[in-house]
Amino acid sequence: MIEVRDLWKGFGPQPVLRGTCLRIEKGEAVVIIGRSGGGKSVLLKHLIALLQPDRGQVLVEGQDLCCLDERQLLQVRRKFGMLFQMAALFDSLTVYENVSFVLQRERRHTEAQMRKLVAEALEMVELRGIEGKKPGELSGGMRKRVGLARAIIYRPEILLYDEPTTGLDPVAGARIDQLIHRVWEQLHVTSIAVTHDMASARRISKRILMLNEGVIYADGPSADILSSTDPVVHNFVNGIVPADSQSFA
Amino acid sequence: MVVPILQQRVRYLFSELGELAHIAGEAIRSLRHQRPSWRDFVEQLHFIGVKSQSVVITTGAATGMVLCAQTYFQFHKVKMDTATGAVVSVGMCSELGPVLACLMIAGRVGAAMAAELGTMKVTEQIDALRTLATHPVDYLVVPRLLAATVAAPLLTAEAVAVGIFASWMVGAHLLGIDSAYYVANMNRYTAPADVVTGLIKATLFGAAIAVISCYKGLSCQQGAEGVGKATTEAVVYSSITVLVANFFLTLFLTRLFKG
Ligand SMILES: Nc1ncnc2c1ncn2[C@@H]1O[C@H](COP(=O)(O)OP(=O)(O)OP(=O)(O)O)[C@@H](O)[C@H]1O
Ligand SMILES: [Mg+2]
């Protein structure tokens, strides 16, 4: 269970989150939508305590993350897997070393077991036989899928995906959506994704939260949000530019 | 006008020192609680130690040779030619060896550490590390700190040895000082304390360079510009630390060893 209470965060003079509140139950599949630059990535990073709030609380299973120091946070973070918007692979390590990173650090598996687990994880994201490559030799979409393999291999309980399908072709995108759905269904994880892609949101979520002006503006079952008649939600979901504001504000 | 700026500077200096102490403390905490990765340590040791050979040898030899020549020219006037070796050896062991070798290490290794960690920071790799339940200090700082602490005194010892040998070549073969007296005086006036002083200094300098450079990398600002700035600052601060700390260490260690 994840709960965010009155979360405020700004960078310099610019406020990004302005009193965001949300609650996600264990085992839910949630998508967060919102405008580019609206603070979705920032919100996601607060859930795993990569950023510290200016004000407010983030609770993971009742534990307030703001009271923990970096070492205590490591224990909490072990429950999480995160796919970064830019994949954030370790570029001095090979794909194999990237994907097996947590396993290598935990030293609970033999080399042979790790090879097998990595091969399976790469198989899941439809990348075979690229273990020896460096991230620099991969395309953007491939990197993202390696990032996904790295996040799911150690079986976290909560998965955070920051735009898992942007930069992929439609077919690969749909496959990743299927994978996210399958991971949610079979491994009983809590799945929290950020996306701009409404088709993808429909496929991977049961519930959609819309972040607007730094607060959760709309929250409800996916179907309701996607067919909402609220002008802000409707315009966003259908990509309509309101007649009175043609510029990005 | 001047006072607020000065205040701001002083506050900045102290906050930087606080952060440095924090990283160093975290590294010590990490060492107490878990075994660092042997492989990462060896990799860093290779990078810092083996790949600095040419730089360190050149520095040692050049310093030894020029120190010998200059000392000889002055001492020759008062007919103390054979004392040249003693001056070179004491100077190299306790001051010039550690300072110059560590300045070269700060330039070569400090810059590389700050640039590597800084790039990792701006490409979110440090954040990724944290999400993978790994403390950046455990994984990145500790192996570098250990490797630098081990490598710096070894490289210094090498620079000193090369420097003394080069000075003997210049003194005995080029300037015509009597080789036997040169060596005898050198041995007579160089105390074990001089050698130990140099090695202690180098060890501390190595640790300081690693902590400063890693801190600068980890606190790097956004973008290519941030990495550039972090790299420059790592080298500048490490070098200044070596020079300033050297003075105080000289006072302190001399007191300690010579009463
Ligand atoms: N580290 C940072 N320093 C300063 N400003 C930041 C930082 N991270 C994010 N911001 C600012 O916060 C705002 C929200 O950024 P964020 O990355 O969360 O947007 P987003 O909703 O994920 O957008 P996108 O959909 O394009 O990824 C942006 O205006 C950005 O300028
Ligand atoms: Mg984003």
Side-chain angles (χ1 to χ4, degrees), chain B residues 162-185:
Chain B
V162 170
I164 289 176
F165 177 74
S167 81
W168 173 76
M169 291 287 283
V170 170
H173 296 280
L174 202 66
L175 303 173
I177 307 172
D178 188 311
S179 173
Y181 277 113
Y182 188 96
V183 174
N185 273 337

Side-chain angles (χ1 to χ4, degrees), chain A residues 40-41 85 162-163 194:
Chain A
K40 302 180 299 297
S41 300
Q85 190 164 357
D162 198 347
E163 310 205 0
V194 163

Side-chain angles (χ1 to χ4, degrees), chain A residues 45 48-50 69-71 74 77-78 80 84 88-91 93 97 101-102 105 107 150 154, chain B residues 26 29-30 34-37 39 120 123-125 127-136 138-139:
Chain A
K45 284 183 185 168
I48 188 168
L50 289 178
D69 71 18
E70 186 72 19
R71 277 199 194 277
L74 295 181
R77 292 204 188 107
R78 180 59 182 77
F80 284 86
F84 282 80
L89 299 180
F90 303 124
D91 50 22
L93 305 183
E97 288 164 331
F101 191 85
V102 171
R105 302 271 311 162
R107 299 180 180 141
R150 182 176 72 179
Y154 57 94
Chain B
E26 198 61 58
R29 194 136 78 103
S30 161
Q34 64 189 67
R35 193 165 53 86
S37 153
R39 210 186 101 191
M120 289 185 74
T123 54
E124 293 188 317
Q125 291 178 58
D127 280 345
L129 204 59
R130 292 162 71 201
T131 66
L132 296 170
T134 303
H135 200 299
D138 296 351
Y139 182 68

